[in-house]
Amino acid sequence: CITMSAPPPTPPPPPQPPSHPPSTTTSTNINTTTNAPDDWRKSITQTYRTSEVRSIAPILASLEPGATSDSKKMLAMKFEETIFQSAKSFDDYKKTIQKRLTKLKKHYAKMQQQQQHQHQQQGGGGAGN
């Protein structure tokens, strides 16, 4: 009678080193001037970013009153994400959000004034004839 025994279990693989070396190591493959601007993003929690999106959404919504709730949230998320990825520092991130929101408000206010002016001209010009 031939008995078959199971092969011995293989040991688990050794733990892998982290994909990003610690900042205290020195390596010729690490360019600290290139990686430094990205470091600030690692310290920002998703909770904080979500609160930023929640503060941005009503402002953007006021500029587009016909938009749905979901589209307002999506727009705010894209707005924040774009700035988050392009900002050079946390301070730059905060300032850029404020600058762009202010610029958008001014742009929409100007457009509304132009539309009201055009509407008044169209309505006023036809009434006299």
Side-chain angles (χ1 to χ4, degrees):
C1 180
I2 301 174
T3 59
M4 297 191 62
S5 61
T10 56
Q16 296 294 320
S19 60
H20 299 289
S23 60
T24 56
T25 63
T26 57
S27 170
T28 56
N29 295 334
I30 299 174
N31 183 348
T32 54
T33 57
T34 303
N35 293 337
D38 293 336
D39 290 344
W40 72 270
R41 289 180 186 87
K42 294 175 186 175
S43 66
I44 307 301
T45 64
Q46 188 58 46
T47 304
Y48 178 82
R49 291 184 64 197
T50 301
S51 71
E52 282 295 313
V53 169
R54 285 187 183 138
S55 67
I56 293 166
I59 296 168
L60 296 179
S62 70
L63 304 176
E64 288 291 335
T68 65
S69 176
D70 285 341
S71 67
K72 292 172 189 176
K73 188 187 296 184
M74 186 62 72
L75 184 62
M77 289 170 65
K78 287 181 181 180
F79 181 87
E80 186 275 342
E81 177 69 21
T82 300
I83 295 171
F84 184 77
Q85 293 302 326
S86 65
K88 293 173 178 49
S89 66
F90 179 69
D91 190 45
D92 184 40
Y93 166 75
K94 295 293 291 173
K95 286 180 181 179
T96 303
I97 287 174
Q98 292 307 313
K99 282 182 187 178
R100 289 197 185 170
L101 287 175
T102 301
K103 190 173 183 177
L104 281 171
K105 288 179 198 176
K106 287 179 182 178
H107 177 74
Y108 273 86
K110 186 176 181 180
M111 284 179 52
Q112 284 181 333
Q113 287 176 348
Q114 288 175 347
Q115 287 175 349
Q116 287 174 352
H117 183 69
Q118 287 175 349
H119 181 69
Q120 289 171 351
Q121 285 181 337
Q122 289 172 354
N129 293 347

